[in-house]
Amino acid sequence: MKKVGLLPRLIIGIVLGIIIGMVSKSTEIYFVSRIFITFSSIFGNLLSFIIPCIIVGFVAPGIADLGKGSGKLLGITAAFAYVSAVAAGTLAYMFGASILPKVIKAGELAEKSAVNLEPYFTITIPPIMGVMTALVAAFMLGLGMAHIKGKTLLGAMKDFQRIVTLVVKNVIIPCVPIHITGIFVKLTVAGEIFKTLKAFSSVYAIILVLHIGYLVVQYGISWIVSGKNPIKSIRNMIPAYFTALGTQSSAATIPVTLQCARKNEVDDDIVDFVIPLCATIHLAGDTITIVLASMGVMLISGQTPTFGAMFPFILMLGVTMVAAPGIPGGGIMASLGLLQDMLLFNPAQQGLMIALHAAQDSFGTATNVTGDGAIAIIMNVISKKRKIVQEAQVVKEFPKTTF
């Protein structure tokens, strides 16, 4: 029997939470609701503990691996991927700041509820280090390992990465639907569930429109740089887009993305280098989703998503996304630490973000891999220009001798 995916389990968790909350509310029997809320409280503390481990375990080896590429070409590609992610996040903020306050009533869930459900007990699990400490340590270790090219520490970090992956895959991910059930039980009992669903239906619509719009922007830039017809280029990438919708994985879509990128007349050596690399470091679609969803959560919770608060978050998100492909649940798992430390999200808000992200993860992944094709076109032009410059330098250094 095929294993049920995360999204169906999250949907079941949400529906179950609403049903339990409505039954408990109408019968005034709250003990079932409090059981789930107790679990959510404990799981939230476990999540806070594992976040620094995720950051160190994935970001550090990810940065170290980037140092093993082919010199300047890798640096240029990584720079394009980072700028693309930051631009996507900034664009998402601009649209969100203009539209979301009109469709979401600020502080809808911050209003005092008539029902106050508390867990039966809670277990405090202090993290081994703060989120920013983990980020700084990950950058230091990653850059250091890339510089010294040592294998011992990198091997140990890879082992730690595998341990964290096992914990996330076998403990965190299976428990997330139950955690979501607890969150939606509390929202339903407090009478806030329909406000939440109504608010985020608008957020989803904006996210999908921005995904498509940003792909048009990316291929518009590739057209300016290369002269390739953007409509034809996007049409050639459609198989990769729909494959990503099914796989929900940039890595699993690589074979199809490679084939599609070649149809855009990109050199084989550039395709073989850029596409696998961008599948790891270019997550513009996830960035759009996380920025808009976090703004929605902030607004509905009574917080104001100012540019001063969101832009540093976007800058850090572009770097932290390097960790995303190695973690089940991808972008949102990698961003939990930033949500907690930079936007001050509590465990309930983090759980809501996981559910919101999972509900459209396919479209975010499809945007990621389709955008990789645009970067491949741009890098192909840059590579050809670099070769021309290098050949000219060789001719200048060793001019032809006439007799």
Side-chain angles (χ1 to χ4, degrees):
M1 182 178 177
K2 187 177 179 180
K3 186 177 179 181
V4 179
L6 177 60
L7 179 56
R9 285 184 284 143
L10 284 173
I11 293 174
I12 292 171
I14 291 171
V15 173
L16 187 61
I18 294 173
I19 293 173
I20 293 173
M22 292 182 70
V23 171
S24 297
K25 185 177 180 180
S26 61
T27 60
E28 298 185 359
I29 301 174
Y30 298 123
F31 71 92
V32 176
S33 298
R34 290 186 67 186
I35 290 173
F36 281 97
I37 291 170
T38 300
F39 178 88
S40 288
S41 174
I42 297 171
F43 182 81
N45 282 313
L46 176 61
L47 203 57
S48 298
F49 170 82
I50 202 69
I51 285 171
C53 299
I54 290 174
I55 292 171
V56 174
F58 284 89
V59 175
I63 293 174
D65 286 339
L66 289 181
K68 296 181 178 181
S70 55
K72 292 183 179 179
L73 192 61
L74 179 141
I76 296 171
T77 307
F80 266 103
Y82 178 73
V83 170
S84 176
V86 172
T90 304
L91 184 67
Y93 171 79
M94 293 170 61
F95 271 81
S98 301
I99 300 173
L100 289 182
K102 299 176 183 178
V103 297
I104 297 178
K105 180 183 175 183
E108 278 186 289
L109 300 191
E111 298 170 1
K112 185 66 177 177
S113 170
V115 181
N116 185 23
L117 290 179
E118 297 294 335
Y120 284 112
F121 64 92
T122 188
I123 299 174
T124 303
I125 311 173
I128 56 178
M129 65 179 78
V131 171
M132 290 309 298
T133 302
L135 281 169
V136 173
F139 295 155
M140 181 188 72
L141 289 170
L143 293 172
M145 288 186 291
H147 179 72
I148 66 175
K149 297 180 174 62
K151 296 181 179 179
T152 304
L153 182 57
L154 181 57
M157 292 301 300
K158 291 282 188 180
D159 287 341
F160 181 64
Q161 183 185 73
R162 283 191 284 269
I163 292 170
V164 175
T165 300
L166 287 172
V167 173
V168 172
K169 185 177 180 180
N170 297 319
V171 179
I172 301 299
I173 296 298
C175 289
V176 163
I178 306 174
H179 179 49
I180 296 300
T181 299
I183 291 172
F184 276 81
V185 164
K186 191 167 186 177
L187 288 174
T188 304
V189 171
E192 300 165 343
I193 184 59
F194 296 110
K195 296 178 183 177
T196 303
L197 295 177
K198 179 182 177 181
F200 285 104
S201 63
S202 303
V203 175
Y204 281 136
I206 299 170
I207 288 172
L208 294 178
V209 169
L210 268 182
H211 280 168
I212 296 171
Y214 194 65
L215 287 176
V216 173
V217 170
Q218 287 180 308
Y219 281 91
I221 294 173
S222 73
W223 171 47
I224 294 171
V225 173
S226 68
K228 293 183 184 295
N229 187 323
I231 297 176
K232 182 180 178 181
S233 298
I234 293 175
R235 187 169 62 241
N236 288 335
M237 295 299 298
I238 287 177
Y241 184 92
F242 282 99
T243 301
L245 285 178
T247 63
Q248 294 185 320
S249 169
S250 297
T253 311
I254 286 176
V256 179
T257 312
L258 290 170
Q259 186 179 26
C260 292
R262 289 191 175 96
K263 290 181 180 178
N264 284 329
E265 299 176 351
V266 179
D267 295 344
D268 286 346
D269 57 340
I270 296 299
V271 170
D272 293 340
F273 175 78
V274 172
I275 295 302
L277 176 62
C278 285
T280 304
I281 64 175
H282 181 230
L283 287 92
D286 280 285
T287 304
I288 289 172
T289 300
I290 292 170
V291 169
L292 276 172
S294 62
M295 291 176 68
V297 171
M298 291 173 74
L299 280 170
I300 207 169
S301 301
Q303 300 168 265
T304 302
T306 63
F307 184 75
M310 293 301 298
F311 190 62
F313 171 72
I314 293 169
L315 293 177
M316 292 301 298
L317 193 61
V319 177
T320 309
M321 286 290 99
V322 172
I327 309 172
I332 190 60
M333 285 294 175
S335 68
L336 286 177
L338 299 180
L339 291 169
Q340 173 187 300
D341 206 59
M342 300 187 74
L343 300 186
L344 306 179
F345 274 29
N346 58 39
Q349 289 172 313
Q350 292 174 26
L352 189 56
M353 283 292 295
I354 293 172
L356 293 170
H357 183 273
Q360 64 71 64
D361 191 29
S362 294
F363 295 96
T365 303
T367 303
N368 295 338
V369 301
T370 308
D372 294 346
I375 293 181
I377 293 172
I378 295 170
M379 291 306 303
N380 196 54
V381 174
I382 293 174
S383 176
K384 287 181 177 179
K385 288 183 178 180
R386 288 183 70 241
K387 287 178 180 178
I388 292 172
V389 171
Q390 289 172 352
E391 290 173 358
Q393 289 175 342
V394 170
V395 171
K396 185 177 180 181
E397 187 175 351
F398 301 103
K400 291 183 178 179
T401 304
T402 57
F403 294 95

